[in-house]
Amino acid sequence: MNTKNTAYDAIVVGSGPNGLAAAITMQQQGLSVLLIEGKDTIGGGLRSAELTLPGFQHDICSAIHPMAVASPFFASLPLQQHGLEFIQPGLPAAHPFDDGTAAFLSHSLEDTANALAADKQAYLDLVGPLVRDWEKLVGNILSPLKFPKHPLLLAGFGLKALQSAEMISKSFSTAKAKGLWAGMTAHSIQPLSKLTTAAIGMVLSAVGHVHGWPVPKGGSQTVADALASYFVSIGGEIQTGWMIKSLDELPKAKSVLLDLTPKQILELSPDKFSGLYKWQLGHYRYGMGVFKVDWALSAPIPFTAEECRKAGTIHIGNTFAEIARTEQQSARNVHAEKPFVLLAQSSLFDDSRAPAGKHTAWAYCHVPHGSVKDMTETIEKQVERFAPGFRDTILAKHTMNTAEIEAYNPNYIGGDINGGIIDLTQLYTRPALRISPYRTSAKGIYICSSSTPPGGGVHGMCGYHAAKQALSDIFNLKIPNFNSNDS
C-alpha cells in the first residue's frame, strides 16, 4: 500500500491495545485514519505464536486479561462479532504456601473473604466498597485526573489506594491473607513499601469479583485481531511492516498519535518538541524488567494445593515478607534467589492452546531494569517448590530476557512492561506534568501509550483518552467520558 502521498485526518503509530483504541476512537467519528505497525503483525503486547513446539500456542507478552473485560471502552465495542471470546477459569487466581495450602481469589467476594477466616472482615472492608461501587468508579480509575462524578466514593477508594501495600497488609492478621494481598500488589512491579502499590491490588481484586480474570480463546492475539477487524470494518486502514524512524516519514496528517514511550518519542524528530518538553521526557523513569519463560508441557502443572489446579493465574512467592523482600531486591538491582513468579496456565481452560492431552504455561519474574541474566532455573525452582514433579512435565521451553523483550516490543524499555514506573510521582503526571498528559509540545502530536494515564494493562483507555483530546483540539469534536455526564 502506497500511503506516502495520501493525506489523513489522523495517523496512529503502534498497534498495541492503546494504539488500536486510539485509531478506533478517531475512526468512529468518520475521520480518515491510518494505523501503522512496525512489525509484520499487529498487536504490540497482544501477540501469540508457537514459541516452543508445533501446536503449542503461547502468549508472547500478556496472557490474562482482567482489565480488558473491565475496560469501558472495550465493552462499548462489538468485539464478539469480530471473533473475540473470553473464557473464565474456575478461579481467577490462587496463591500457594509452603505448607501445601493456598489462598485464592474467587469470582465471589464472600467466598474469598470466608476462606480468609479471621481476616474475613478486613478483606470485606478493603475490597467490598470497590466491588459495590465499581461501575460508578471505573470511569475515574481508568482516566486522567479530573473532577469525579462521585467525589465521596472516589475519596474513599483513594484514601486506601494511595497507601503502600505494606501499610495495608497490617490490617490483616493471618499469613494467608497477607500472602494473597502481596501477590495482588506485586503486579505493581515496585517495592511493596512504595505509596500507591495498594491501588493495583485493590483494583485487580475487585475486578476479579466483578468481571473475573479471563483468558481469550485461542490466545491474546485474538484480542488485537478483533480490535483490528472492527477498525477496518468502520473504514480504518492498517499498514504493517513499517518501523517509523522519524516523524518526517509519515504521510500528511492533521493529527498524529504515538503508541510509544518517551524514550522512543525523543528519538523521533526531537526538533519538533520544545526544550522543556524534551527535558521532561528525558527525565521520565522506567522500572524493573521481567524475565519470561514459556513451557510446552506433557501434563498440567502438578500443584500440591487443589485451588492452584483450578486457577488461571498463580502467584508464586509464599509469604508477604518473602515477596516484599524479593521485590525490594529487584528494585535495587539484585537478582532474587526466590523471586515472585507470576504464572498463567491458560491451556487448562482453553484446549485450543495445545495438542490433546498436552499443556502450555507462561511465567515471568521481576528482575533489575535491563538485566540479561538467565532466570530460567530460578523460576523453575520456584514452580517446583509448590508443584513437585513440574520439571518432569517439561517438553520444551522458550525464554526472553529484558533485552529480548525490548527487541520484540520496543515499548518495553529495559523489560519494563508498564511503560514506566506507576508510582506517586508518575501516576497522573505520566509522561510529563502538563494540563493534558496526552498532548506533546508540538501541535497535533499526541502520546497514547501506557506512558500516559491510567498506565499499563490491556484496557485501551490511554488510547481512548488521547484520541478524545485530539478530537477536541484538532477537530472540535466532543465525545463523552465513560460513566460521566460531562463531555
Side-chain angles (χ1 to χ4, degrees):
M1 182 189 302
N2 182 10
T3 59
K4 183 62 180 177
N5 297 317
T6 305
Y8 292 89
D9 290 315
I11 291 175
V12 179
V13 178
S15 70
N18 288 307
L20 285 160
I24 288 169
T25 303
M26 302 295 280
Q27 189 66 46
Q28 284 176 326
Q29 302 307 307
L31 306 179
S32 58
V33 183
L34 172 65
L35 176 64
I36 298 174
E37 168 56 46
K39 299 286 186 177
D40 291 333
T41 58
I42 55 99
L46 292 171
R47 292 193 178 103
S48 307
E50 293 181 343
L51 298 177
T52 56
L53 298 172
F56 289 83
Q57 192 77 359
H58 302 276
D59 291 325
I60 302 174
C61 300
S62 61
I64 306 293
H65 295 283
M67 300 313 297
V69 289
S71 168
F73 177 69
F74 286 173
S76 73
L77 306 177
L79 298 181
Q80 254 189 315
Q81 298 173 25
H82 292 267
L84 180 59
E85 179 181 344
F86 282 113
I87 299 171
Q88 293 284 359
L91 291 173
H95 187 113
F97 297 95
D98 280 335
D99 64 1
T101 64
F104 60 86
L105 181 75
S106 167
H107 297 284
S108 164
L109 171 67
E110 290 73 21
D111 288 351
T112 303
N114 287 335
L116 296 176
D119 282 314
K120 172 183 176 178
Q121 194 57 49
Y123 185 83
L124 290 174
D125 290 345
L126 177 64
V127 181
L130 186 53
V131 171
R132 181 190 65 226
D133 298 318
W134 177 257
E135 295 304 326
K136 295 177 181 178
L137 294 175
V138 62
N140 282 106
I141 291 172
L142 295 179
S143 75
L145 191 61
K146 61 183 180 182
F147 189 79
K149 185 180 178 183
H150 302 282
L152 294 181
L153 293 181
L154 189 65
F157 165 72
L159 287 173
K160 298 173 183 176
L162 292 177
Q163 296 183 53
S164 71
E166 187 175 69
M167 293 166 66
I168 294 291
S169 73
K170 295 175 182 177
S171 64
F172 297 119
S173 61
T174 65
K176 184 167 283 190
K178 288 176 183 285
L180 180 66
W181 175 243
M184 294 294 168
T185 55
H187 283 260
S188 65
I189 318 183
Q190 294 182 70
L192 303 191
S193 58
K194 293 284 188 180
L195 293 176
T196 74
T197 48
I200 188 68
M202 292 178 65
V203 168
L204 286 177
S205 298
V207 169
H209 299 313
V210 177
H211 293 289
W213 288 19
V215 299
K217 184 177 182 179
S220 293
Q221 183 73 51
T222 64
V223 181
D225 289 347
L227 289 165
S229 175
Y230 173 69
F231 172 60
V232 171
S233 77
I234 60 174
E237 294 181 40
I238 298 176
Q239 169 104 33
T240 59
W242 185 2
M243 189 66 74
I244 300 297
K245 302 297 183 184
S246 167
L247 295 180
D248 294 331
E249 295 177 36
L250 298 176
K252 293 180 181 178
K254 296 176 184 176
S255 59
V256 174
L257 294 90
L258 304 172
D259 187 8
L260 305 170
T261 76
K263 182 177 185 293
Q264 298 148 282
I265 291 171
L266 283 175
E267 295 169 354
L268 296 176
S269 309
D271 56 300
K272 294 186 182 295
F273 306 117
S274 70
L276 174 60
Y277 190 69
K278 287 189 288 186
W279 181 87
Q280 288 179 307
L281 293 191
H283 284 76
Y284 186 75
R285 293 174 296 112
Y286 296 90
M288 292 185 277
V290 301
F291 182 95
K292 179 172 176 285
V293 186
D294 287 282
W295 296 282
L297 305 174
S298 63
I301 299 175
F303 283 107
T304 301
E306 180 184 1
E307 294 87 351
C308 293
R309 300 194 295 272
K310 298 178 179 178
T313 300
I314 310 296
H315 294 155
I316 295 175
N318 201 35
T319 65
F320 184 96
E322 187 174 320
I323 293 173
R325 181 174 62 253
T326 61
E327 291 299 280
Q328 186 69 255
Q329 287 175 327
S330 295
R332 292 177 176 173
N333 295 320
V334 175
H335 292 87
E337 290 184 12
K338 295 180 178 181
F340 170 72
V341 173
L342 181 62
L343 184 146
Q345 41 189 12
S346 301
S347 65
L348 287 182
F349 315 98
D350 178 7
D351 60 13
S352 72
R353 303 295 188 101
K358 304 295 191 295
H359 287 274
T360 62
W362 170 110
Y364 70 66
C365 72
H366 300 152
V367 294
H369 182 90
S371 163
V372 293
K373 183 176 180 178
D374 188 340
M375 298 292 285
T376 310
E377 176 75 9
T378 302
I379 290 175
E380 289 182 353
K381 281 183 178 179
Q382 280 289 77
V383 180
E384 184 84 15
R385 174 181 173 187
F386 301 98
F390 162 66
R391 285 174 165 166
D392 295 335
T393 70
I394 298 173
L395 300 173
K397 67 188 74 172
H398 176 274
T399 67
M400 297 175 78
N401 63 29
T402 67
E404 292 163 333
I405 287 172
E406 183 178 344
Y408 179 78
N409 187 339
N411 273 5
Y412 296 158
I413 306 296
D416 179 348
I417 59 175
N418 265 342
I421 295 175
I422 308 179
D423 61 8
L424 189 59
T425 59
Q426 286 192 171
L427 183 61
Y428 288 112
T429 61
R430 54 197 297 116
L433 181 59
R434 299 176 64 77
I435 294 174
S436 169
Y438 310 102
R439 291 185 187 129
T440 69
S441 63
K443 180 176 173 58
I445 300 177
Y446 298 82
I447 303 179
C448 64
S449 71
S450 60
S451 295
T452 62
V458 177
H459 45 64
M461 296 301 292
C462 306
Y464 168 79
H465 289 298
K468 184 175 183 292
Q469 187 69 65
L471 287 169
S472 175
D473 292 347
I474 307 299
F475 303 97
N476 198 32
L477 293 171
K478 307 289 185 181
I479 59 175
N481 291 318
F482 289 106
N483 298 326
S484 175
N485 291 327
D486 58 53
S487 58

